[in-house]
Amino acid sequence: MMARATIHDVAAAAGVSVATVSKAVNGRYGVASETAVRVLEAVERLGYESSLVASSMRSRRTGVIGVLVADFEPFSAEILKGVGVGLKGSRYDLLAYSGSRQGDGEGWERRSLSRLSGTLIDGAILVTPTVVNAAAEIPVVAVDPHTGRADLPTVEADSRGGAVEATTALIELGHRRIGFIAGRPDLTSSRLRDAGYRDALSAAGIPFDPAFVRVGFYDSDTARSAAHDLLTQPERPTAVFAANDLSAMALIEVAQGLGLEVPGDLSVIGFDDVPEASRLALPLTTVRQPMQSIGQAAARMLMTLMAGDELGSTHLLLPTRLVQRATTAPPRPAHP
């Protein structure tokens, strides 16, 4: 791999001083036109680029949009892909950034924004931020914030509607003992999925039973423990709606380890439709939230703000839809 060209390489190639290269690159006076042409030809030939930080100090613009995440996991990875598509054809580069986690991780976006804004990025997309009042010198858009709708422009999926559709699908198959593996209680979208599950039960006249609910925190290991507890009780559910695909996949693993057949003994529906969901040996029935579309929408909103224009709407709620695959079936008839 060739070393990156430096300002000293350009100076040597053009036969001028480093100071002259700096003046020519930045369009400052004091450089003869023929010298400036020679310097810029050397810049082009060597592929020299001045640093982002130096560029921002000169122009207060870096040409970079930051996507700030707490962790790199399937949801944030799909959001990143969508932002990349949304920026295609624009003049902006994309920086994915996950700062150090301190304490319980609350307020990570404040630290990240203070480090990056004004020096490395011109605007930021915060993915599932814990706080939405993080002061910044740059335009900011939030994706699926913990606290729900905020003063910041926000993009999210219809978590409640998706949960209603998932639970209703299980009810229409004939299930009545329907469990739920919940997500993180601190996240509004998680609480909306819980509410949608209860809405669907209520609409069907099925009493809510707390014995059929466990909390998986959107984490595979925690979800495995929750699933084992849920499936080993005397009267287990015949179907389970999991608040994300990672929890649903952990549930299937536990069910099969207990000798249960999916979907014969247990129907399972997840939420998200991460790429892995369709690649399983038993492809997962799940609620698809348009993660890449969310990323694209956030990118468009941010570029609008960065251009100094007003948004038509400061909150976008994108629809979800159920994707039927191989993990759901009617319940088996009870033995006499």
Side-chain angles (χ1 to χ4, degrees), residues 17-208:
S17 68
V18 168
T20 298
V21 173
S22 179
K23 289 179 181 178
V25 167
N26 293 299
R28 295 203 296 268
Y29 65 89
V31 181
S33 58
E34 62 270 20
T35 302
V37 169
R38 193 164 72 249
V39 168
L40 295 178
E41 286 176 346
V43 166
E44 180 70 23
R45 187 168 66 253
L46 296 175
Y48 169 71
E49 294 182 6
S50 56
S51 75
L52 288 173
V53 173
S55 175
S56 69
M57 289 175 66
R58 291 190 300 272
S59 66
R60 301 297 296 172
R61 291 283 183 177
T62 65
V64 177
I65 281 176
V67 178
L68 281 52
V69 302
D71 294 294
F72 290 106
E73 35 71 39
F75 178 79
S76 60
E78 292 301 301
I79 296 295
L80 277 167
K81 290 177 188 176
V83 174
V85 172
L87 296 181
K88 192 169 292 184
S90 76
R91 61 186 179 86
Y92 292 106
D93 294 329
L94 173 61
L95 172 69
Y97 182 86
S98 180
S100 62
R101 305 297 297 274
Q102 302 174 21
D104 60 3
E106 292 282 327
W108 57 268
E109 43 288 291
R110 288 194 185 100
R111 293 187 295 272
S112 297
L113 282 171
S114 67
R115 290 173 180 170
L116 302 178
S117 59
T119 56
L120 285 178
I121 59 176
D122 295 335
I125 296 169
L126 307 181
V127 181
T128 61
T130 58
V131 295
V132 290
N133 60 346
E137 302 173 355
I138 57 175
V140 175
V141 172
V143 167
D144 194 17
H146 282 219
T147 55
R149 297 191 181 194
D151 292 337
L152 290 177
T154 304
V155 189
E156 59 188 330
D158 183 5
S159 287
R160 189 168 191 157
V164 168
E165 188 175 12
T167 310
T168 300
L170 294 171
I171 293 169
E172 290 175 346
L173 285 171
H175 293 279
R176 291 297 177 268
R177 299 201 310 273
I178 301 171
F180 178 53
I181 295 184
R184 288 169 40 184
D186 63 318
L187 194 60
T188 293
S189 59
S190 176
R191 295 195 295 271
L192 288 171
R193 290 170 203 179
D194 185 321
Y197 161 73
R198 296 180 192 225
D199 288 347
L201 293 180
S202 177
I206 300 173
F208 169 76

Side-chain angles (χ1 to χ4, degrees), residues 1 43 45 54 103 123 218 223 225 248 254 261 265 270 281 288 310:
M1 183 179 291
V43 166
R45 187 168 66 253
Y218 290 150
S225 176
V254 170
E261 180 187 328
D265 296 317
R288 175 179 294 164
E310 288 190 10

Side-chain angles (χ1 to χ4, degrees), residues 209-227:
D209 187 347
F212 286 161
V213 176
R214 298 293 185 277
V215 180
F217 287 96
Y218 290 150
D219 173 74
S220 294
D221 290 337
T222 307
R224 284 189 193 93
S225 176

Side-chain angles (χ1 to χ4, degrees), residues 166 169-171 173-175 177-179 230-231 236-242 248 251-252 255 260-270 282 284-285 324 326-332:
L170 294 171
I171 293 169
L173 285 171
H175 293 279
R177 299 201 310 273
I178 301 171
L230 187 64
L231 298 179
R236 65 168 179 82
T238 61
V240 177
F241 166 48
L251 170 69
I252 292 171
L260 298 175
E261 180 187 328
V262 177
D265 296 317
L266 182 74
S267 286
V268 177
I269 295 182
L282 196 65
L284 178 67
T285 298
Q324 294 278 4
T327 58
T328 50
R332 282 182 172 156

